[in-house]
């Protein structure tokens, strides 16, 4: 009963619900007549794939949605804590400005974070910083210094006054004077000073003062790798390189580099040139007091050079005294030793820079040419500098020769200024062992850029006769073709008449124009039959022109070259060769005569005896003597030259065992060159005087009395004064 009633009630409720739906929400839909739709366009498979892809926005939303779905549940447990977080500022429980100040924990965290980041930055910067491979040009450029034969400085070349010195050649006291002044902890520091860097940065950024703050390692880095600009970036780079360099190089290497590259004022870099500039001596000769003065200059040469005013002098004395006291304090100078230095060691007033000029230009030119060739130094290497070139030039002999030629020039200008304007004087003194001890190259290298002593400009004339004589004595002669060679002796007779026809084994000698060639004497004088020794002593040409033909011009040429003349100066092998058609320089003429004085041994003339570079010896090809003629031949030639000197200059010959001969060259019946070459005390000097107007041509002009006449002509006078006879 109850079940039936319940079912009826349910059915009634369902009926009411259907009625309500039909009345309120349900609408009767009348089906529309279906219209015919056009067929859908065909879509390619690629287009369908593209249309199925989500847009960019949908992809982004989808990605974040997936991330949220993954992370959200894991963060849900933290939600209660997030609701409890409070804002950092303003801080609760504080009043006033303290509400906005960080707590000590925040300060500590910030400081530790800063230290960590700074450390990380420094590590990265250190790893990223490389030591530059190229040094500054002024850190590698040096000057080349030339020395006289006695070891005193003569000249220097190069735009930087700097000479490197090995640390072993710098006294220990000098090193510690610098260290006491600049960086006493040098041997224990890591290459930088944090305190000094901080002070330098403060001065650079805060006050604009750029002084101080660097260790010696940092200063060396600045000298050789960086610029002198005082900026924060440059100082930071300097510190990084210094740290690396301190690990790569030894302390002694760094100190040596620093001492050789630092600026000391007076145009000098390096302690060696500074020592020469301020005290006129090598650094090895400095005492500790003088070293303290040089060390003070490192703080600023413009402020501490004591010769630049009273204020500078006062500062220099105070710093000098402070450095010496500092050396005592650090245990590098005993109090007893310090007590010895109570007087300030005054530097010389001016820098003794050995500037090239006048004759020193010519000396340097000769030495430089020889040094490059004999030591196999390239132009690039030589230009980098650092060479100490010890020449063979004798300072006293050079001064004497220069004074003699200068006097001759002045006398010529006073007597005949017009002709003297075109006069040229070349002179050279060569020892029998090949050393060039003096030259006169011209009035001034800056106005005359070539060296008169080394110029092959004018013929030798009758000054060449000794070489023909030596060739005949050495090789003998052949008068007729097919006959055996016969010996020639000093007493062998030849025709000494003027205008003697020149003959060959086949008959007379004809020139290219078809004319017979005749031998001529300088003064057109005939001497009849005359011995070769007498002919040389009296400078009779005709016997030697014929002797050259009898001996063979090829042998004459070979003898002259073996004795010291250059083959390229000999000219053609014609009869005129025997009477001096060759054009030797004064150096070569002196070298040739020196061979006879040396007993027939010839040593090539040289101008450099030793070369060092920064204290190390450079291998130098020093010439060795070679046999030019037999010793008996050399003796016969020397005896004839001694007789020549005695006949022309009997008074000096009484007290001086000299050997020499005058020579002259003729053109158009006029003298165009005058020579005198002679030996005394193992030194041979050759002097030549001639006239050439360089503005017109190189053709020699008549001397017109410029060289004087007679036995005491200008070349002999210069020779006698240079040799100490006048």
């Amino acid at each position: 009963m109850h079940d039936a009633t319940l079912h009826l009630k349910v059915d009634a409720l369902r009926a009411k619900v259907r009625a309500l739906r039909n009345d309120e929400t349900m609408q009767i839909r009348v089906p529309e007549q279906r219209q015919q739709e056009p067929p859908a366009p065909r879509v390619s498979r690629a287009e369908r794939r593209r249309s199925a892809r989500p847009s960019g926005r949908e992809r982004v939303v989808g990605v974040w949605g997936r991330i949220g779905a993954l992370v959200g549940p894991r963060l849900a447990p933290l939600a209660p804590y997030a609701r409890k977080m409070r804002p950092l500022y303003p801080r609760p429980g504080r009043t006033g400005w303290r509400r906005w100040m960080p707590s000590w924990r925040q300060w500590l965290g910030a400081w530790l974070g800063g230290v960590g980041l700074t450390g990380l930055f420094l590590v990265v910067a250190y790893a990223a910083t490389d030591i530059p491979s190229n040094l500054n040009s002024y850190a590698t450029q040096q000057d080349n210094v030339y020395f006289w034969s006695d070891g005193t400085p003569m000249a220097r070349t190069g735009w930087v006054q700097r000479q490197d010195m090995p640390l072993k050649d710098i006294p220990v006291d000098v090193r510690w004077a610098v260290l006491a002044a600049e960086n006493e902890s040098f041997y224990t520091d890591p290459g930088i000073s944090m305190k000094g860097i901080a002070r330098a940065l403060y001065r650079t950024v805060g006050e604009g003062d750029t002084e101080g703050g660097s260790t010696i390692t940092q200063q060396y880095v600045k000298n050789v790798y960086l610029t002198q600009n005082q900026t924060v970036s440059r100082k930071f780079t300097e510190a990084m390189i210094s740290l690396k360099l301190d690990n790569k190089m030894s302390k002694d290497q760094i100190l040596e580099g620093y001492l050789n590259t630092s600026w000391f004022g007076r145009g000098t870099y390096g302690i060696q040139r500074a020592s020469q500039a301020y005290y006129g001596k090598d650094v090895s000769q400095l005492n500790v007091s003088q070293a303290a003065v040089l060390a003070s200059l490192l703080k600023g040469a413009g402020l501490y050079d004591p010769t630049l005013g009273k204020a500078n002098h006062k500062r220099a004395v105070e710093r000098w005294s402070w450095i010496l006291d500092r050396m005592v304090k650090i245990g590098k100078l005993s109090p007893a030793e310090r007590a010895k230095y109570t007087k300030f060691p005054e530097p010389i007033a001016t820098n003794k820079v050995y500037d090239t000029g006048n004759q020193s230009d010519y000396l340097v030119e000769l030495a430089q040419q020889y040094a490059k060739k004999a030591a196999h130094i390239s132009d690039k290497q030589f230009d980098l500098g650092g060479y100490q070139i010890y020449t063979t030039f004798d300072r006293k002999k050079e001064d004497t020769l220069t004074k003699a030629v200068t006097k001759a020039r002045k006398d010529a200008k006073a007597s005949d200024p017009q002709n003297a304007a075109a006069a040229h004087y070349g002179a050279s003194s060569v020892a029998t062992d090949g050393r060039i001890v003096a030259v006169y190259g011209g009035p001034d290298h800056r106005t005359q850029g070539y060296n008169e002593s080394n110029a092959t400009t004018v013929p030798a004339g009758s000054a060449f006769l000794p070489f023909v004589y030596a060739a005949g004595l050495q090789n003998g002669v052949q008068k007729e073709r097919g006959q055996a060679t016969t010996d020639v002796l000093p007493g062998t007779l030849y025709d000494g008449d003027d205008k003697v026809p020149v003959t060959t084994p086949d008959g007379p000698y004809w020139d290219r124009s078809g004319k017979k060639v005749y031998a001529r004497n300088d003064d057109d004088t005939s001497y009849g039959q005359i011995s070769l020794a007498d002919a040389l002593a009296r400078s009779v040409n005709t016997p030697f022109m014929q002797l050259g033909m009898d001996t063979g011009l090829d042998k004459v040429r070979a003898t002259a070259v073996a004795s010291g003349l250059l083959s390229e100066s000999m000219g053609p092998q014609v009869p005129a060769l025997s009477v001096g058609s060759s054009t030797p320089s004064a150096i070569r003429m002196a070298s040739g005569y020196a061979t006879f004085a040396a007993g027939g041994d010839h040593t090539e003339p040289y101008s450099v005896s030793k070369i060092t570079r920064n204290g190390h010896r450079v291998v130098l090809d020093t010439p060795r003597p070679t046999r030019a003629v037999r010793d008996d031949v050399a003796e016969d030639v020397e005896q004839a030259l001694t007789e020549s000197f005695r006949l022309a200059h009997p008074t000096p010959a009484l007290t001086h065992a000299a050997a020499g001969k005058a020579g002259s060259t003729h053109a158009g019946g006029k003298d165009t060159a005058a020579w005198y070459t002679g030996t005394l005390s193992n030194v041979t000097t050759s002097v030549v005087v001639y006239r050439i107007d360089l503005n017109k041509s190189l053709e020699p002009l008549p001397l017109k009395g410029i060289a004087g006449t007679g036995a005491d002509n200008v070349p002999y006078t210069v020779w006698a004064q240079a040799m100490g006879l006048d």
Side-chain angles (χ1 to χ4, degrees):
M1 184 67 182
H2 291 291
D3 293 336
T5 303
L6 180 61
H7 284 294
L8 290 173
K9 290 180 178 180
V10 172
D11 291 337
L13 287 173
R14 289 177 177 171
K16 288 180 179 181
V17 171
R18 285 195 296 270
L20 289 172
R21 287 178 177 173
N22 290 332
D23 293 340
E24 297 177 5
T25 61
M26 301 301 291
Q27 295 179 0
I28 299 174
R29 296 183 181 179
V30 179
E32 297 178 0
Q33 187 176 357
R34 179 174 292 183
Q35 296 180 355
Q36 187 71 26
E37 295 181 358
R42 298 185 63 183
V43 180
S44 67
R45 199 177 286 176
E47 290 174 335
R48 287 199 298 272
R49 283 198 299 267
R50 283 196 295 270
S51 62
R53 291 175 184 171
S55 66
R57 177 180 177 82
E58 291 171 340
R59 286 198 297 270
V60 172
V61 172
V63 170
W64 283 108
R66 287 194 294 273
I67 293 174
L70 292 173
V71 177
R74 289 171 174 80
L75 296 180
L78 301 178
Y81 299 100
R83 287 193 293 269
K84 295 179 180 180
M85 291 182 65
R86 295 173 297 182
L88 293 176
Y89 297 98
R91 293 173 61 197
R94 300 289 188 274
T95 59
W97 59 270
R98 292 181 178 85
R99 300 171 62 202
W100 303 97
M101 292 299 295
S103 67
W104 67 269
R105 293 182 181 85
Q106 291 169 331
W107 280 116
L108 179 60
W111 183 81
L112 291 175
V115 170
L117 290 174
T118 302
L120 178 62
F121 172 74
L122 292 176
V123 169
V124 173
Y126 179 84
T129 301
D130 292 324
I131 298 175
S133 57
N134 296 324
L135 304 181
N136 291 331
S137 59
Y138 56 81
T140 55
Q141 183 81 21
Q142 302 180 59
D143 54 4
N144 294 318
V145 181
Y146 298 78
F147 299 87
W148 294 101
S149 59
D150 62 1
T152 57
M154 178 183 74
R156 71 170 186 87
T157 58
W159 63 273
V160 172
Q161 294 185 52
R162 190 169 71 83
Q163 284 278 304
D164 281 352
M165 287 293 289
L167 191 65
K168 63 181 179 62
D169 294 335
I170 301 175
V172 175
D173 283 345
V174 176
R175 304 180 214 170
W176 275 107
V178 173
L179 293 175
E182 294 293 307
N183 185 190
E184 65 185 55
S185 63
F186 169 72
Y187 280 101
T188 57
D189 65 38
I192 63 172
S193 168
M194 295 306 299
K195 181 179 178 181
I197 291 175
R199 184 171 64 251
L201 290 174
Y202 172 72
R203 288 173 172 170
T204 302
V205 178
E207 299 180 1
D209 182 3
T210 60
E211 179 188 349
S214 298
T215 64
I216 277 181
T217 304
Q218 289 175 263
Q219 292 181 56
Y220 174 62
V221 167
K222 179 180 66 176
N223 289 344
V224 301
Y225 295 122
L226 305 175
T227 67
Q228 302 299 308
N229 296 333
Q230 300 286 358
T231 62
V232 174
S233 61
R234 202 275 294 154
K235 287 182 179 294
F236 180 78
T237 304
E238 171 191 297
M240 292 298 102
I241 296 176
S242 298
L243 285 171
K244 281 204 166 182
L245 200 69
D246 195 74
N247 291 325
K248 181 179 179 181
M249 296 175 63
S250 70
K251 288 290 188 179
D252 281 350
Q253 289 176 319
I254 295 173
L255 180 59
E256 178 182 303
Y258 171 74
L259 292 174
N260 284 318
T261 57
S262 294
W263 167 256
F264 285 87
R266 295 195 178 185
T268 62
Y269 288 91
I271 199 163
Q272 166 69 355
R273 296 296 282 121
S275 177
Q276 294 169 346
Y278 287 90
Y279 289 103
K281 61 178 71 173
D282 285 346
V283 66
S284 60
Q285 299 172 327
L286 289 178
N287 60 39
V288 67
S289 180
Q290 295 165 335
V293 174
L294 296 186
S296 69
L297 297 168
L298 294 168
K299 192 173 178 63
L303 295 174
Y304 291 92
D305 183 344
T307 63
L308 300 180
K310 293 182 178 180
N312 269 34
H313 192 277
K314 181 180 179 181
R315 279 191 294 266
V317 172
E318 291 174 352
R319 187 154 179 82
W320 161 79
S321 180
W322 178 85
I323 292 172
L324 292 177
D325 292 341
R326 193 72 180 170
M327 291 183 69
V328 174
K329 184 176 180 179
I330 64 177
K332 299 302 177 181
L333 186 67
S334 68
E337 186 72 13
R338 170 67 179 92
K340 295 179 182 178
Y341 302 112
T342 57
K343 184 178 179 181
F344 183 73
E346 299 288 349
I348 56 180
T350 57
N351 182 2
K352 287 187 176 181
V353 176
Y354 303 95
D355 292 323
T356 57
N358 298 328
Q359 287 307 301
S360 61
D361 277 330
Y362 300 105
L363 305 181
V364 166
E365 180 184 65
L366 285 174
Q368 178 177 308
Q369 292 172 351
Y370 182 83
K372 289 181 180 179
K373 181 179 180 181
H376 308 286
I377 303 171
S378 67
D379 290 340
K380 181 179 180 180
Q381 289 174 317
F382 202 83
D383 289 343
L384 286 176
Y387 293 97
Q388 298 83 42
I389 301 164
Y390 296 85
T391 73
T392 60
F393 302 123
D394 185 296
R395 189 170 196 164
K396 292 182 180 179
K397 292 185 181 299
E398 178 64 34
D399 288 344
T400 303
L401 179 61
T402 300
K403 288 178 181 178
V405 178
T406 301
K407 183 178 184 302
R409 295 180 67 93
K410 289 182 178 179
D411 292 344
K413 188 175 182 180
S415 62
D416 191 347
Q418 184 175 357
N419 287 323
H424 296 268
Y425 302 75
S428 177
S429 297
V430 179
T432 53
D433 61 2
R435 291 176 295 113
I436 303 174
V437 297
V439 299
Y440 180 85
D444 192 334
H445 193 276
R446 289 165 292 190
T447 57
Q448 176 178 292
Y450 71 95
N451 191 332
E452 295 277 15
S453 69
N454 205 30
T456 55
T457 307
V458 295
S462 53
F464 187 80
L465 300 185
F467 302 105
V468 185
Y469 184 40
L473 295 174
Q474 178 81 12
N475 299 285
V477 299
Q478 186 185 55
K479 287 287 187 178
E480 297 181 11
R481 187 175 299 279
Q483 289 187 350
T485 300
T486 59
D487 292 338
V488 171
L489 301 173
T492 300
L493 297 177
Y494 267 78
D495 190 346
D497 286 345
D498 188 39
K499 297 181 181 179
V500 175
V502 177
T503 62
T504 71
D506 297 324
Y509 182 88
W510 305 80
D511 62 17
R512 291 185 177 181
S513 63
K515 296 180 180 179
K516 285 185 178 181
V517 175
Y518 293 87
R520 302 291 301 269
N521 288 325
D522 288 345
D523 53 3
D524 299 330
T525 301
S526 294
Y527 294 87
Q529 292 293 307
I530 187 173
S531 70
L532 290 174
D534 195 21
L536 181 60
R538 296 177 182 276
S539 196
V540 182
N541 289 346
T542 54
F544 294 100
M545 198 167 186
Q546 185 57 53
L547 177 63
M549 299 301 295
D550 296 342
T551 301
L553 295 177
D554 58 335
K555 295 183 176 64
V556 171
R557 179 191 181 98
T559 300
V561 171
S563 299
L565 273 61
L566 296 176
S567 60
E568 54 266 31
S569 70
M570 298 305 297
Q573 284 186 190
V574 296
L577 174 67
S578 297
V579 289
S581 62
S582 61
T583 56
S585 65
I587 291 176
R588 286 293 170 172
M589 186 65 83
S591 176
Y593 275 53
T595 297
F596 304 129
D601 285 335
H602 169 67
T603 304
E604 277 290 289
Y606 64 97
S607 56
V608 177
S609 60
K610 184 178 73 171
I611 300 177
T612 60
R613 191 172 195 273
N614 301 331
H616 301 286
R617 190 77 174 255
V618 177
V619 177
L620 185 67
D621 295 336
T622 303
R624 303 294 182 184
T626 58
R627 175 60 64 177
V629 295
R630 299 190 309 270
D631 54 357
D632 62 304
V633 172
E635 184 179 355
D636 289 339
V637 175
E638 195 69 3
Q639 285 181 351
L641 293 174
T642 300
E643 181 65 12
S644 176
F645 178 78
R646 187 191 66 79
L647 290 174
H649 312 285
T651 300
L654 294 175
T655 55
H656 297 88
K661 182 184 183 308
S664 59
T665 301
H666 302 274
K670 297 181 179 180
D671 291 342
T672 55
W675 291 82
Y676 194 87
T677 306
T679 303
L680 180 64
S681 302
N682 295 323
V683 174
T684 302
T685 297
S686 184
V687 182
V688 60
V689 179
Y690 58 96
R691 289 181 66 244
I692 288 180
D693 189 345
L694 296 175
N695 295 323
K696 295 181 179 179
S697 71
L698 293 178
E699 191 68 25
L701 302 173
L703 286 173
K704 294 185 177 181
I706 292 298
T709 57
D712 295 326
N713 58 16
V714 172
Y716 171 77
T717 301
V718 171
W719 178 89
Q721 292 174 355
M723 304 299 276
L725 300 185
D726 188 2

